């Protein structure tokens, strides 16, 4: 099991850095296949996202990908939302959580397919709005064990005028806030498998570095195509798992 977690951690790290996701969109379905239950998979995923998002935030800060003084307000809202979402996990049925997860992936896929990779309007800078968006996404993040960027990226591109690559980077920055908040909440509720989570977290760091390096070397049009393919794949894997039982 440890070897599988190490390989999964490295793979998730690469995808996380490249796509700007927390990693839950990949790790939760695969952890289900490995044999973990949905709630345990969420806890392991959140643990990995804490380490991965911190590493990614440091790298993007060095590269000056975005202005922290503004985008941090997404994170402030996300912290509160993730706490609420983490509590909901304890209350909801596992099947409900899995279908929620599939619905989030479907929404993201649709928004990305319709969006333009290059901004068609001026970037919206509104800190109270950033906080509100972060709070709403944070609820889903805490509930589903995903960092929130799976929702954040299409919202920033479709409605807020963010360039696609910048939106992906901001989405992963947002994960730093929601994952720390969700981790603390789930740990308090006794829902974290620390041993498995730490194995995945530490092995994902190398992948994060490579994924971000690759992000800055791919053309934006190609990046959107790859991103769409990635979300279609995740949707198909999760749908099959739910339908096949």
């Amino acid at each position: 099991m440890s070897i599988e977690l190490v390989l999964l951690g490295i793979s998730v790290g690469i995808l996380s850095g490249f796509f700007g996701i927390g990693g839950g969109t990949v790790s939760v379905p695969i952890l289900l296949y490995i044999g973990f239950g949905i709630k345990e998979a969420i806890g392991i995923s959140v643990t990995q996202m804490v380490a991965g998002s911190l590493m990614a935030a440091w790298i993007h800060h060095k590269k000056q990908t975005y202005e922290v003084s503004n985008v941090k307000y997404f994170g402030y809202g996300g912290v509160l939302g993730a706490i609420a979402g983490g509590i909901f996990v304890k209350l909801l049925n596992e099947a409900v959580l899995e279908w929620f997860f599939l619905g989030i992936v479907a929404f993201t896929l649709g928004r990305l397919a319709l969006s333009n990779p290059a901004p068609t309007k001026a970037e919206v800078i509104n800190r109270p709005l950033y906080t509100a968006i972060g709070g709403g996404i944070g609820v889903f993040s805490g509930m589903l064990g995903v960092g929130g960027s799976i929702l954040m990226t299409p919202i920033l591109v479709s409605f807020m005028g963010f360039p696609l690559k910048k939106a992906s980077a901001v989405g992963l920055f947002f994960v730093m806030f929601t994952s720390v908040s969700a981790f603390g909440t789930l740990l308090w509720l006794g829902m974290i498998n620390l041993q498995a989570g730490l194995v995945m977290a530490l092995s994902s760091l190398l992948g994060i570095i490579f994924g971000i390096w690759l992000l800055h070397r791919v053309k934006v049009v190609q990046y959107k195509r790859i991103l769409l393919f990635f979300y279609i794949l995740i949707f198909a894997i999760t749908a099959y798992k739910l339908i096949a039982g």
Side-chain angles (χ1 to χ4, degrees):
M1 187 70 74
S2 294
I3 295 176
E4 288 95 331
L5 288 174
V6 168
L7 294 176
L8 178 58
I10 294 172
S11 301
V12 167
I14 294 172
L15 295 173
S16 179
F18 183 68
F19 292 114
I21 61 172
T25 49
V26 178
S27 61
V28 170
I30 295 177
L31 287 167
L32 291 176
Y33 274 103
I34 291 175
F36 292 99
I38 181 65
K39 294 185 180 181
E40 192 173 20
I42 288 172
I44 295 170
S45 172
V46 167
T47 305
Q48 179 274 319
M49 286 190 288
V50 171
S53 61
L54 287 170
M55 171 66 79
W58 179 77
I59 295 173
H60 281 302
H61 174 71
K62 301 288 285 187
K63 291 180 176 294
Q64 298 182 324
T65 308
Y66 43 70
E67 177 56 58
V68 175
S69 63
N70 288 322
V71 300
K72 65 184 180 184
Y73 287 89
F74 287 117
Y76 293 161
V79 168
L80 297 176
I83 292 173
I87 294 173
F88 289 153
V89 169
K90 195 75 172 180
L91 304 175
L92 292 176
N93 180 273
E94 291 191 0
V96 173
L97 288 175
E98 291 177 331
W99 283 106
F100 256 127
F101 184 86
L102 187 65
I104 294 298
V105 176
F107 172 82
T108 302
L109 182 60
R111 291 308 310 176
L112 280 176
L114 297 173
S115 67
N116 192 321
T120 56
K121 62 180 180 181
E123 185 175 317
V124 176
I125 300 176
N126 186 319
R127 291 177 175 179
L129 180 58
Y130 287 0
T131 304
I133 291 172
I137 295 174
V139 172
F140 286 98
S141 173
M143 287 173 57
L144 303 174
V146 296
S149 57
I150 191 170
L151 275 176
M152 178 69 75
T153 299
I155 287 174
L156 295 184
V157 172
S158 301
F159 304 114
M160 305 294 287
F162 279 59
L164 182 56
K165 287 188 178 182
K166 180 178 179 180
S168 294
V170 171
L172 193 48
F173 174 81
F174 175 79
V175 170
M176 179 174 62
F177 291 84
T178 57
S179 61
V180 169
S181 179
F183 176 81
T185 304
L186 294 176
L187 184 64
W188 174 61
L189 293 171
M191 296 175 59
I192 297 288
N193 182 334
L194 279 176
Q195 182 178 353
L198 288 174
V199 169
M200 265 199 68
L202 294 176
S203 59
S204 71
L205 298 182
L206 287 177
I208 286 280
I209 295 171
F210 179 74
I212 293 177
W213 175 85
L214 190 61
L215 169 67
H216 289 278
R217 282 157 180 79
V218 176
K219 293 181 179 179
V220 67
V221 174
Q222 295 173 328
Y223 181 68
K224 179 185 175 181
R225 292 171 183 167
I226 297 171
L227 195 63
L228 283 172
F229 174 79
F230 168 72
Y231 282 126
I232 290 171
L233 180 63
I234 295 301
F235 180 84
I237 291 172
T238 309
Y240 177 79
K241 170 62 173 60
L242 292 176
I243 294 171

